[in-house]
Amino acid sequence: MLQFKDKLPELNHFVTNYTNIDYLKWHFSRQLEKLYGDEFSANVDLNKLSNTKIDSLTIETVCKILSPQTEETKVQNLKSKVNELINKASDFGKKAAYQLAKVNRRSNRTSDISLMERFIPVFEALVDSNKRKNRHDYFGQLAYALKDKNEPDWEKAEENFNTAILIRGTSEPEYCYEFNRAICKVGIYNNAKEKMPLDENLGELILRDLKYAKSGVGSQFERLINDDIDNRLLSIWLNENRINLQSL
């Protein structure tokens, strides 16, 4: 092996290190693309592909978007493809894309926000493909990602939380939706407070969401408010308005 590694520079090849099998497969597939071309380079007609092939391409594309090894210029090109793919994918393909994006959003939301932001077009494509509007989790995950951006989109995040809560109804309690919607409302108010006085109705809506969230979270509610930086927007807002957590 050592002799082989010593010979590589003579052939203008270099040793590539990898930490796990997934990275090895990713790197190997990139080398194949360089030799034989990317599947999308020929502008393949998706209407002529089988459902299995579309699902395969959907999952492969999402994996490339989510991979930190994928160059940003390549990511931008893939983002333009993902909406068409997800709209044509089967339920299995959509669920696989969703799970990949959700797990990676959660694991990168504080450690690598720029990487987390790559997931937004995937969630937007899933939302767009959900014509029946029966998947509250698609809208919820999009809302979380928009809220956690480097420059949060409070209004759009709140809009998607509203849709997620409406679809969810009362049969599937998801207290995090209301908790994070309250954060969005505080973010909207903070952006506008220099231009306008506090909207009393907005304050009531924030408190209503917080009360609902507390009813599900219980004793962990105070820790949750002070846990993350964006959550602390709530504690600051509560202090500014002289609202005691115990009164919620």
Side-chain angles (χ1 to χ4, degrees), residues 68-102:
Q69 282 79 36
T70 305
E71 297 176 1
E72 193 59 37
T73 52
K74 179 84 169 179
V75 170
Q76 296 307 316
N77 183 49
L78 292 170
K79 285 179 180 178
S80 66
K81 314 284 187 183
V82 74
N83 192 71
E84 183 182 6
L85 278 168
I86 287 178
N87 268 287
K88 290 185 176 296
S90 69
D91 285 343
F92 169 79
K94 290 181 175 68
K95 288 176 182 177
Y98 169 74
Q99 291 297 333
L100 285 166
K102 181 179 75 170

Side-chain angles (χ1 to χ4, degrees), residues 45-81:
D45 185 354
L46 297 183
N47 294 316
K48 296 180 179 179
L49 298 181
S50 67
N51 290 337
T52 301
K53 187 59 177 175
I54 290 175
D55 286 347
S56 177
L57 282 174
T58 300
I59 295 168
E60 180 183 352
T61 302
V62 171
C63 286
K64 289 178 182 178
I65 290 173
L66 304 183
S67 172
Q69 282 79 36
T70 305
E71 297 176 1
E72 193 59 37
T73 52
K74 179 84 169 179
V75 170
Q76 296 307 316
N77 183 49
L78 292 170
K79 285 179 180 178
S80 66
K81 314 284 187 183

Side-chain angles (χ1 to χ4, degrees), residues 28-44:
F28 187 68
S29 65
R30 299 296 75 73
Q31 298 305 308
L32 291 176
E33 280 184 9
K34 289 180 181 179
L35 289 171
Y36 302 110
D38 192 336
E39 193 121 24
F40 278 125
S41 62
N43 294 318
V44 62

Side-chain angles (χ1 to χ4, degrees), residues 123-141:
F123 290 126
E124 287 177 334
L126 287 165
V127 163
D128 183 63
S129 72
N130 187 220
K131 306 303 181 186
R132 294 170 59 192
K133 288 198 172 183
N134 60 347
R135 291 294 301 263
H136 67 81
D137 46 350
Y138 288 179
F139 292 88
Q141 289 297 318

